[in-house]
Amino acid sequence: MSARDLAAPRCTRRGPPQLAAAGSCPRPDRPDHLPPAQHQSTSLRFDEETMSTASHQPATTPVAAPSTPGRTAERAQIKAVADTLVLAYGMHPVDITRIPEGTATDNYAVVDQAGRWHFAKVYRTREHLDLERASVALSEYCADGGVGTARATRTREHELIATHGPLPMSLWSYVPHTATAEGGLRGARWAAVGTAMGRLHSRLAAHPAAAPTLKPGAAVCDVATARDSYEGLILAFQSKPRLGEFEAWSLQATRERQALFGGVERILASLPPLTVQILHGDLSGPNVLFKDDDAAAFVDFRPPTPGYLAWEIARLGCDPSSVLANGVEGWLTAYTDLTLAYRDANPKTSANDLVSSLRVGCAAVLCSTFPFSAPVKRPHIVDAALESYGRARHEADLMLLDRLPVLEEALRDALR
């Protein structure tokens, strides 16, 4: 590129007005969300212990500037993004705006010469691009089946990820005028997301990587391994000379969880065989986009991997913000709306998967050490948002556990 070409793309720190990118931040003009300058992308890291895909691998071989670069490094990163867009996509950007990054990506809003918006996802390592490519392909597979997703833009060589330019990158269409479900579901969105998720899982049931099958529900999580993990975490906290406020709370919560493992074993032992099939893999609030009260798109898929259908339903429907905001009774009514809409959209689903989703969700969360483990394993990611999430997650799960038999019976009656 010429010196003039290199100077053409503008580097800004503001989020684009009234647009939300696939996998990026919510609309900045919505009062119920923080603006991009304050918003932190937390969807991956907050539940990272339930995943093991490329986006959660450490960036052992960085290919770009760090995720919080200085002015000089950031300009170099913007130049590399522009070079990749020209070389791999034949696109001449006129504006490149940095937006909140993911766990292993640096994200940018891009405006081309025709005024069209795009979302560029820059991978910080080339080590796991085969898994990242599989994630993009799964999103495309769902879109081809009529499921609402963001569309990937192929390179000049018709590749899903650009690998021959300065940066490994995927390029996506923008989903305009949307907000994420981060912060919980409300009102008509419960039924809307149930319908959309039912269609998603119906499409994924036909994925060639694995056919749906029944497996023992007790295998949802490994209590013995969880016990060892919690014991190690308690010892790590006890070995510290001093504990901060969140560390002290995490130690207390860890001990509370440890005392519940007998009940978790009974919960798991009572589960019937449940459906295992290909899933989205990271179906949390930040990865669901809404236009008003309609579910517009699912974004940020993981590679096609079989998992328990009941867990993915519970992970989105039992979001702690949704539980705490509505209270248990109000939440149960809304969750029932979600499951009824889900069943209508995916009628082949077993009633056991829907009814058992509450039990599966409680057990899986109780077996996870995250975010209590963050101060020990990854103290650099601990911030106010993560602390708030951790407290809410723990409180909501204990609330559901306390009333689990009653909630489950009420859901079973509604689904008859």
Side-chain angles (χ1 to χ4, degrees):
M1 299 176 71
S2 66
R4 180 180 178 184
D5 289 332
L6 293 178
R10 294 190 294 112
C11 169
T12 61
R13 299 301 293 268
R14 295 175 292 103
Q18 298 186 354
L19 288 172
S24 73
C25 56
R27 284 177 55 181
D29 60 328
R30 289 295 292 266
D32 54 336
H33 289 289
L34 296 175
Q38 297 170 296
H39 179 85
Q40 295 296 317
S41 178
T42 57
S43 60
L44 300 183
R45 72 185 189 193
F46 280 177
D47 285 291
E48 63 185 354
E49 290 195 356
T50 66
M51 299 167 243
S52 59
T53 59
S55 290
H56 304 87
Q57 302 298 328
T60 54
T61 311
V63 296
S67 60
T68 311
R71 184 181 298 271
T72 300
E74 183 170 350
R75 289 183 65 85
Q77 176 89 336
I78 292 290
K79 175 186 177 297
V81 171
D83 288 348
T84 302
L85 290 169
V86 173
L87 178 64
Y89 295 94
M91 177 187 298
H92 292 270
V94 297
D95 188 88
I96 299 176
T97 304
R98 188 180 182 87
I99 54 181
E101 67 275 357
T103 298
T105 61
D106 293 305
N107 301 334
Y108 298 86
V110 176
V111 181
D112 64 24
Q113 286 181 314
R116 293 182 295 261
W117 288 86
H118 308 266
F119 172 62
K121 189 172 185 178
V122 177
Y123 304 99
R124 298 188 197 132
T125 173
R126 295 179 184 268
E127 188 175 354
H128 304 286
L129 288 183
D130 54 338
L131 294 178
E132 299 291 2
R133 192 175 292 107
S135 299
V136 181
L138 186 61
S139 178
E140 292 293 283
Y141 172 83
C142 290
D144 290 341
V147 176
T149 71
R151 277 287 193 177
T153 302
R154 291 184 178 263
T155 68
R156 286 172 161 178
E157 289 77 28
H158 207 61
E159 295 292 334
L160 292 172
I161 295 180
T163 58
H164 301 301
L167 298 173
M169 174 194 298
S170 58
L171 190 66
W172 300 81
S173 61
Y174 254 88
V175 182
H177 309 297
T178 59
T180 75
E182 187 172 12
L185 298 171
R186 57 175 174 76
R189 292 186 175 187
W190 285 95
V193 81
T195 297
M197 185 163 44
R199 292 171 180 166
L200 170 71
H201 287 160
S202 178
R203 171 63 172 169
L204 290 173
H207 195 278
T213 186
L214 290 177
K215 290 192 175 181
V220 164
C221 52
D222 186 339
V223 177
T225 298
R227 273 200 177 97
D228 291 342
S229 297
Y230 272 83
E231 184 62 35
L233 193 55
I234 290 171
L235 292 175
F237 279 127
Q238 290 175 337
S239 68
K240 287 178 172 284
R242 293 181 58 187
L243 295 179
E245 181 181 352
F246 184 65
E247 290 175 313
W249 177 84
S250 295
L251 175 58
Q252 178 185 347
T254 297
R255 286 171 169 159
E256 289 180 29
R257 293 279 185 97
Q258 190 183 45
L260 294 172
F261 279 135
V264 173
E265 287 178 324
R266 289 190 291 274
I267 287 174
L268 294 172
S270 68
L271 285 170
L274 298 173
T275 302
V276 171
Q277 67 164 67
I278 300 299
L279 302 174
H280 174 286
D282 191 10
L283 200 54
S284 57
N287 291 334
V288 182
L289 302 184
F290 281 92
K291 284 186 178 180
D292 296 322
D293 286 333
D294 293 326
F298 295 109
V299 298
D300 214 5
F301 284 70
R302 300 274 123 328
T305 305
Y308 281 90
L309 197 68
W311 162 238
E312 190 149 277
I313 295 170
R315 187 178 174 210
L316 186 57
C318 298
D319 176 82
S321 298
S322 299
V323 175
L324 298 180
N326 293 278
V328 174
E329 296 298 333
W331 167 84
L332 178 62
T333 298
Y335 192 78
T336 301
D337 290 342
L338 182 152
T339 53
L340 289 171
Y342 180 100
R343 186 178 63 180
D344 288 343
N346 190 14
K348 292 183 179 180
T349 303
S350 165
N352 282 338
D353 291 312
L354 296 174
V355 173
S356 298
S357 62
L358 298 179
R359 200 164 288 253
V360 167
C362 278
V365 172
L366 287 170
C367 283
S368 171
T369 60
F370 194 81
F372 318 122
S373 61
V376 173
K377 295 182 178 179
R378 302 185 66 191
H380 62 284
I381 72 169
V382 178
D383 56 17
L386 184 139
E387 292 180 13
S388 177
Y389 171 85
R391 294 175 190 272
R393 190 187 194 200
H394 184 58
E395 180 183 354
D397 201 52
L398 293 184
M399 287 174 61
L400 296 182
L401 179 66
D402 185 56
R403 302 190 60 185
L404 185 58
V406 174
L407 297 174
E408 198 171 56
E409 187 59 34
L411 183 60
R412 180 180 289 106
D413 289 342
L415 289 168
R416 282 176 180 158

